Amino acid sequence: MKIYLKRVGILFFLITMLSANIYSVEITWLLSQTWKVKDSGFIEEFNKAYPDIEVKLEQFPINGVYEQIQVRVGTCQRDPDVIIVNAPFTASYGLKGWLIPLDDVFNKQEKDNFYKASLDIGTYQGKFLSSPIHTSTQNIYYNATIFKDAGLTPPGPDDRLTWEEVRDLAVKLTKDKNGDGAVDIWGFNWEQTTQYYQLQPLFLSKGGKSIGNDGLTVDGIVNSEEWISGMQFYGDMFNKYKASPVTTVRVWEMFRTGQLAMMLAGPWNVGRLSAKDYGFEWGISRHPYFKGGKIVTPTSGWHLGVSACSDQQEASKKFVHWMTTEAGGKAWFSKVRTALSAQVPVNQWILDNEKYQKKPWNNVRTAIDEAGVNPVPRPSMVGYYEYQQTLENAFSDIRSGVSAEKALNASINRLNSELSKYK
Amino acid sequence: MFKSKSITPFLFLFPALLLLIIFRISPIFLSFGESFFKKGFGFNAKRIYVGLDNYIRLFEDPILYNSLFVTLKFCIVCIPIQIFLGMSLAVLANQRVKGIFFFRSIFILPIAVSPVVSTTIWQLMLDKTSGLINGILFLFGFTPQPFFLAEEQALWTVILVACWRGIPFFMLFFLAGLQEIPQDFKDAAAIDGANRWQTFWKITFPLLKRITVFIVVTGTILNFILLEPILLITRGGPNESTNLIMWEAYRRGFLYGDLGAATALMSIIVSIVLLLVVIEFRILRTPK
């Protein structure tokens, strides 16, 4: 009987040990569902440095991420602990007290490693609230096979087309191949078709401003001549020249299946296109600008923040620190996304890496170089979310055929209404 | 004090009532209370009592009136279509013919599909460039239609999606009502020489009145608070043409974090719906 009890005791002990969580802390990370983190080996890499912290992923479509943050962090729930922060939202989240300062986690050298624009936009009222994962830029990606079939020469990696040249090329490249009246190949599209981030250079290239000096005034700015003319060009690509498709099908899907000749898109596409042969030749060139206008490129990207209501703030800070310093930056680029790092040494590591010196991976070098050509971040303002949402609705209307003047003027009412609470 | 006989029904009702109070009634009052507060900005900011400020801010905003107008237009078109076609389908589904169960199953299929899934399928089918509907239109020589993307068409397309889902839902209730009408009444009418239309109009329809009142009231409530097609597809656009009142409240509360205005708007919505329901009951009540 005694031996029997002893055996049961040992068995019970072993079961308890085996079933016990090997981690001592669990943190929840809210992020975009398009980021293929699971099974990428990235979290395992983090666990080599911090074996006692388990990272639980909560992934949503990007609009869902914003809404989750509003609802859960806004009502001070204990999780998520770590959230992705769209860079210009830092000021708004900071004003609302949703993020804790990270100044004590990063030393001076680590902060100096960030691009200055990324560090600045992650800082609100002198506090470093969101630590940058990416910076970004946009390049024209072209399907060289479609160009060849149309008897046209694609732009080289150092060529910077004007928007007028892009439009003319796009019109020539748009084709109804079988003569049934339906377009089979479209000329051009913006990858994030109605997103503010991607469309801001249109009116900035014309000489416009993003927002008034107080960070709240929109009347006379959003409906200025520069905005109207830049955004009318955008609308005309869809409705007048019919060289860009109005569709819910993702731009990347159209490009990879040979239905789109050119897309203005981010550096993560270098990885996607290099990793697999899609049956066509491709290349990249520089971000366009308006003839006689300024060269402006988009910049900034996703940051990481720790929720002020998290009860695992120390572990969360360790994760944010690891991910946005050198080891995490390299792991992120090589395992998850070929988006440009917000850290200068990581991008230098990419440039020095043999893999990224050979075709087609070497296209990322053009992207890294482009990231330094007059990058203008989105406005850092407390009402950025309202600003972005309202304008993206207006951009969507313009894409659908509403005149830019009408859509932008209509957005003024909504913007004034939403931004008034910050005055 | 209480006779056990009089307490028994309440005891049976108690669990359901308790859940109703916790999950349905109390949020209305909590939300109404919240509408008099505003969340301040800054670290550890407290709620600030602002009296009627949230309501004043809403009533001074032209967006509210546009949203109310759009919702009213949507309800005025959608509810009669849903009721008329729901009743017509119910009459058809009530016929005693071979294979009627198959047709009944087909009719109620839309409510067996999750709203998110069906809305997404509609969005794909109505896509301007690669949608099935535009493909069919193209085959017949029509130009592709923008549907959700054009200011003039978007609300009508949302009405189409709402009706596609609402009609079978209401058909079920009408069908249940029709099956409760004793066959003897219809037989007696037939003996008296009434034709099918007269039987329907003089016998069936009056006996469906209680069901019709229920459907009108439910239809008003469900359509007034419709959210899925707007949340998933149009997000209030183009140019605020589908900015239904529920989306406006959702947008203010969950997207812009303005809970004070959102709860004030919810209180306004509840008041309007209550008023409409009272009016409908008064108009449609059966004279004693």
Side-chain angles (χ1 to χ4, degrees):
Chain A
M1 186 66 186
K2 253 185 180 176
I3 292 170
Y4 175 73
L5 280 175
K6 202 175 169 184
R7 281 179 185 168
V8 169
I10 290 168
L11 191 66
F12 182 74
F13 175 76
L14 284 172
I15 290 171
T16 312
M17 287 305 290
L18 286 172
S19 61
N21 197 336
I22 56 164
Y23 304 103
S24 57
V25 182
E26 180 187 285
I27 59 170
T28 309
W29 178 22
L30 179 67
L31 70 159
S32 163
Q33 71 176 21
T34 56
W35 299 354
K36 308 294 179 204
V37 180
K38 202 180 165 199
D39 303 327
S40 69
F42 178 75
I43 299 296
E44 288 75 5
E45 204 67 31
F46 168 68
N47 283 138
K48 282 181 192 164
Y50 293 98
D52 57 334
I53 301 173
E54 183 182 12
V55 182
K56 198 176 129 203
L57 306 176
E58 280 197 17
Q59 297 189 271
F60 291 88
I62 209 62
N63 275 327
V65 170
Y66 295 143
E67 288 161 24
Q68 290 287 323
I69 293 172
Q70 287 285 348
V71 174
R72 291 164 65 186
V73 182
T75 53
C76 207
Q77 293 179 22
R78 280 186 301 177
D79 63 357
D81 304 286
V82 177
I83 58 172
I84 55 165
V85 179
N86 196 350
F89 287 36
T90 306
S92 170
Y93 294 171
L95 175 79
K96 291 168 182 164
W98 292 357
L99 301 174
I100 56 165
L102 302 166
D103 297 87
D104 57 330
V105 193
F106 291 84
N107 62 36
K108 187 177 179 304
Q109 182 58 53
E110 286 165 343
K111 278 189 177 175
D112 287 346
N113 283 346
F114 291 124
Y115 287 99
K116 190 179 176 303
S118 298
L119 184 67
D120 287 350
I121 205 164
T123 306
Y124 175 69
Q125 291 189 339
K127 293 186 177 101
F128 184 45
L129 295 180
S130 71
S131 185
I133 311 169
H134 302 137
T135 186
S136 64
T137 192
Q138 297 275 305
N139 292 82
I140 284 190
Y141 289 69
Y142 57 83
N143 180 322
T145 309
I146 297 177
F147 268 81
K148 199 175 159 191
D149 291 349
L152 296 165
T153 310
D158 292 322
D159 291 340
R160 189 180 303 282
L161 302 177
T162 63
W163 275 116
E164 292 80 359
E165 287 169 330
V166 170
R167 177 196 61 206
D168 295 345
L169 271 175
V171 170
K172 285 179 192 158
L173 290 162
T174 301
K175 287 267 184 310
D176 167 15
K177 280 164 73 177
N178 53 11
D180 66 353
V183 173
D184 300 301
I185 295 174
W186 294 89
F188 173 84
N189 209 351
W190 288 260
E191 184 185 26
Q192 300 164 56
T193 318
T194 57
Q195 290 199 8
Y196 181 86
Y197 159 79
Q198 185 145 42
L199 301 176
Q200 180 180 255
L202 285 172
F203 41 83
L204 294 191
S205 179
K206 290 268 184 186
K209 280 173 73 178
S210 303
I211 187 90
N213 293 334
D214 59 356
L216 293 168
T217 303
V218 287
D219 203 1
I221 299 214
V222 164
N223 49 358
S224 65
E225 187 46 48
E226 293 83 5
W227 273 67
I228 290 170
S229 142
M231 292 315 299
Q232 192 55 54
F233 174 88
Y234 166 79
D236 286 347
M237 286 294 283
F238 296 93
N239 301 294
K240 185 175 172 188
Y241 299 105
K242 299 189 189 303
S244 303
V246 181
T247 177
T248 49
V249 180
R250 287 173 62 199
V251 172
W252 157 249
E253 292 298 328
M254 295 192 82
F255 188 78
R256 80 171 179 85
T257 52
Q259 297 175 69
L260 186 65
M262 292 185 282
M263 63 173 180
L264 188 63
W268 44 89
N269 289 290
V270 173
R272 295 206 277 206
L273 287 162
S274 302
K276 196 174 163 188
D277 181 10
Y278 288 100
F280 58 82
E281 286 179 43
W282 60 276
I284 80 174
S285 79
R286 304 290 174 145
H287 192 287
Y289 68 107
F290 280 110
K291 193 178 172 187
K294 286 195 287 187
I295 296 170
V296 179
T297 58
T299 190
S300 76
W302 290 101
H303 289 211
L304 278 184
V306 176
S307 164
C309 294
S310 159
D311 54 4
Q312 299 295 352
Q313 293 189 353
E314 285 313 308
S316 302
K317 279 181 181 177
K318 282 178 187 163
F319 176 70
V320 170
H321 177 260
W322 178 83
M323 185 169 164
T324 55
T325 46
E326 224 169 311
K330 287 175 183 170
W332 185 254
F333 185 87
S334 51
K335 292 183 186 299
V336 185
R337 289 187 96 205
T338 52
L340 304 185
S341 174
Q343 300 171 61
V344 180
V346 174
N347 285 338
Q348 191 55 50
W349 167 79
I350 297 165
L351 289 172
D352 295 341
N353 193 315
E354 206 179 317
K355 177 182 173 184
Y356 302 110
Q357 293 182 14
K358 291 179 195 157
K359 267 182 105 174
W361 286 96
N362 63 348
N363 283 300
V364 82
R365 303 172 71 81
T366 307
I368 290 176
D369 188 55
E370 185 70 347
V373 182
N374 201 16
V376 179
R378 289 160 286 171
S380 177
M381 54 189 278
V382 290
Y384 181 77
Y385 190 57
E386 292 87 334
Y387 173 85
Q388 175 183 281
Q389 285 282 319
T390 307
L391 288 172
E392 286 179 359
N393 282 346
F395 298 160
S396 181
D397 293 349
I398 295 168
R399 185 184 64 155
S400 306
V402 178
S403 81
E405 187 172 7
K406 187 179 172 191
L408 293 172
N409 273 315
S411 71
I412 296 291
N413 259 350
R414 166 69 71 177
L415 282 166
N416 281 335
S417 162
E418 296 301 341
L419 296 177
S420 66
K421 61 179 176 281
Y422 299 111
K423 287 182 179 170
Chain B
M1 183 103 177
F2 291 105
K3 286 179 187 168
S4 63
K5 210 176 172 185
S6 62
I7 293 174
T8 312
F10 292 103
L11 284 177
F12 278 114
L13 281 173
F14 181 71
L17 266 177
L18 187 69
L19 292 175
L20 200 68
I21 289 166
I22 294 171
F23 292 110
R24 293 281 181 179
I25 313 286
S26 67
I28 295 174
F29 289 101
L30 287 173
S31 156
F32 182 65
E34 194 62 37
S35 70
F36 299 104
F37 289 88
K38 173 180 157 182
K39 180 99 161 51
F41 296 124
F43 288 93
N44 303 318
K46 291 204 169 98
R47 285 158 76 234
I48 307 159
Y49 177 75
V50 290
L52 290 172
D53 268 12
N54 288 325
Y55 290 91
I56 293 167
R57 195 150 55 89
L58 281 174
F59 283 116
E60 282 175 351
D61 194 340
I63 289 165
L64 173 76
Y65 297 103
N66 173 62
S67 184
L68 278 172
F69 176 68
V70 171
T71 311
L72 208 63
K73 199 158 87 175
F74 171 78
C75 287
I76 285 173
V77 177
C78 206
I79 298 168
I81 292 177
Q82 286 176 341
I83 291 173
F84 175 73
L85 290 180
M87 189 185 281
S88 307
L89 271 186
V91 171
L92 282 177
N94 196 37
Q95 301 303 308
R96 286 176 188 167
V97 290
K98 206 177 170 188
I100 193 66
F101 290 107
F102 171 73
F103 289 104
R104 280 183 196 162
S105 309
I106 296 281
F107 290 160
I108 62 166
L109 210 56
I111 49 174
V113 184
S114 120
V116 176
V117 172
S118 60
T119 306
T120 309
I121 291 171
W122 273 108
Q123 185 183 18
L124 292 173
M125 288 206 307
L126 294 166
D127 186 89
K128 188 182 176 187
T129 307
S130 53
L132 174 72
I133 308 287
N134 268 321
I136 294 168
L137 289 177
F138 185 74
L139 273 180
F140 288 100
F142 294 99
T143 51
Q145 296 301 306
F147 296 118
F148 289 115
L149 298 172
E151 197 177 337
E152 308 76 31
Q153 295 183 15
L155 187 65
W156 302 105
T157 316
V158 172
I159 288 172
L160 170 80
V161 175
C163 284
W164 176 81
R165 201 175 158 73
I167 290 165
F169 180 70
F170 295 129
M171 183 206 81
L172 269 186
F173 290 99
F174 277 122
L175 188 60
L178 283 170
Q179 293 188 340
E180 278 201 348
I181 299 171
Q183 186 60 31
D184 302 357
F185 289 15
K186 293 178 190 169
D187 293 343
I191 290 164
D192 288 343
N195 59 27
R196 291 181 101 171
W197 172 247
Q198 284 169 324
T199 310
F200 175 78
W201 197 240
K202 302 278 184 188
I203 306 284
T204 311
F205 188 66
L207 290 172
L208 279 178
K209 192 158 185 185
R210 271 179 54 227
I211 296 280
T212 311
V213 174
F214 168 78
I215 285 170
V216 169
V217 170
T218 320
T220 307
I221 297 168
L222 291 180
N223 285 303
F224 220 88
I225 60 170
L226 184 87
L227 185 65
E228 291 95 355
I230 314 300
L231 175 69
L232 295 168
I233 307 176
T234 67
R235 296 183 86 81
N239 203 17
E240 312 265 345
S241 62
T242 60
N243 190 27
L244 297 183
I245 197 84
M246 196 63 191
W247 167 249
E248 184 59 31
Y250 178 88
R251 170 148 66 180
R252 284 178 190 262
F254 295 126
L255 298 187
Y256 301 159
D258 191 354
L259 279 179
T263 48
L265 190 47
M266 282 312 299
S267 302
I268 294 170
I269 295 172
V270 170
S271 312
I272 294 173
V273 170
L274 272 178
L275 185 72
L276 286 174
V277 167
V278 169
I279 293 170
E280 284 168 353
F281 268 125
R282 286 204 159 244
I283 293 173
L284 296 170
R285 73 179 164 189
T286 315
K288 284 177 186 170

